[in-house]
Amino acid sequence: MNIMLLSDVPPSTNFTAGIVQLQLCRFLLEDGHKLCCFGIVDPFLNPEIPDDLLEVMPYKRTNKPKESWGRHPKFGSFASLIANNYISFVKLPQISKDAAQFAKANNVDIIWSVVQGQTMIKVVRKIASIVGVPYTVQVWDPPEWWLRENKFDSFTKKSVMKEFGRLLKQSKACLSASWTMAEEYSATYRANCIPVIPGLDHKKEIEPQKRIDNDFIIAFAGQIYASTEFNALLMALEYMNWAHNGRKIRLSLYGRYFQNFHFNKPANIHICGWYHQESVLKELAASDLLYCPYWFDPAFEKIARLSFPSKLTSYLKTKTPVLVHAPEYSSPVKFVKQHNAGFVCNTLDPREIAAQLAEIIDNGEENKKIGLQGYEAFSKHLTFDVMKTNFYKSLGLESGI
């Protein structure tokens, strides 16, 4: 089959979404399918696409129009209304035409689209219509979150959500970010929804980094979106004076975006920077507890229910116990509880968090059992094999597994 990937984050090694797209692309190419990619990319992003992929995958990039006009400090909603209408009627038709020409030049049979934000939502059906081929839609987060964060005017919100409904209903399949999203979108939009959760290779063993210290290391990898929850953890650690029963507690942070957080001293925090996936997995495997926060704020209820943190896949693969700090209704809590795959903290009270951390530290060897149960859940539900099978199903292909 000849497939065109239409995405605002092309397959790449330096963005989480890009890493997932990269693996899905490799599945297709390894099985002899043809692939091209049309990227509608923020001009400030620089995705690092591997050279070996570019050798076999025709790629064209165009700039994505600015999407955050509602954040204008003075004009807000008015700027959102005017700018988004201009973009919809002037810029997007040309982008759609260019993408369709690229698809025709590469003789594509189907379009695999990844949608986040109004630009991608509004161009997919148009491009597929011009080319005359079916399309699938991959959704990582509910669009309501994007529209809220970028302070869209009410008219544009309604317009985008109306198109989103049409987009899903007319798709060949919707690749959903969680099992809950698949169920809800199937019922709401009458779409053929298939959960495609980011996976990892279960055949590759992780060799943990060697340690000589006796610290209790809590590790976090990625970008901190749930800042209120993270700050509650910090307050709990401050309440514990960064120690329990003679063991120092260390918080190790892996990623790029921690400069906006201010830590009170004394604090035993190590900002380790960004690591490639293979290297960070070794670091996580050598830690004692892996921290996964998700939003408690009711304004984020929908994204907490329907999205799924890709870091949880990485965490569970390491066999290190996981602490999910999130409300009961959230997708990571549901998964962890269903499979007895980790610890759950349902409070923002620093003293209650501290009490639970103390209990976990005192668990000692019992924590290894929890880590192994997490790995078992990973092996059954979050591997490359599961991801590939469901991805191929969405395209109407046999996975060969």
Side-chain angles (χ1 to χ4, degrees), residues 138-196:
Q138 188 161 18
V139 183
W140 291 121
D141 298 307
E144 292 93 334
W145 170 76
W146 178 269
L147 298 172
R148 177 184 176 277
E149 284 295 289
N150 288 290
K151 304 181 186 301
F152 278 69
D153 64 280
S154 58
F155 177 83
T156 304
K157 280 182 185 177
K158 290 178 183 177
S159 171
V160 172
M161 289 309 301
K162 190 173 183 180
E163 178 59 23
F164 182 71
R166 290 173 179 156
L167 180 65
L168 265 59
K169 190 172 183 179
Q170 296 177 20
S171 67
K172 180 180 177 70
C174 171
L175 291 67
S176 306
S178 70
W179 297 270
T180 305
M181 180 185 282
E183 291 172 7
E184 188 161 314
Y185 281 1
S186 293
T188 303
Y189 301 112
R190 298 179 184 176
N192 174 29
C193 296
I194 301 168
V196 179

Side-chain angles (χ1 to χ4, degrees), residues 7 9 22 64 69 76 142 185 206 247 268 326 328 347 362 385-386:
S7 178
V9 181
L22 178 59
K64 181 166 70 170
W69 287 101
Y185 281 1
I206 300 173
R247 290 184 76 179
N268 194 11
E328 281 289 330
T347 179
D362 290 338
D385 287 353
V386 176

Side-chain angles (χ1 to χ4, degrees), residues 314-353:
S314 301
Y315 284 3
L316 294 174
K317 178 177 167 60
T318 66
K319 302 179 184 177
T320 301
V322 172
L323 174 64
V324 176
H325 188 194
E328 281 289 330
Y329 55 75
S330 68
S331 65
V333 166
K334 284 185 175 181
F335 182 85
V336 165
K337 282 198 164 185
Q338 182 180 351
H339 303 288
N340 198 20
F343 301 104
V344 171
C345 180
N346 291 139
T347 179
L348 291 174
D349 186 317
R351 294 194 178 199
E352 292 182 18
I353 298 169

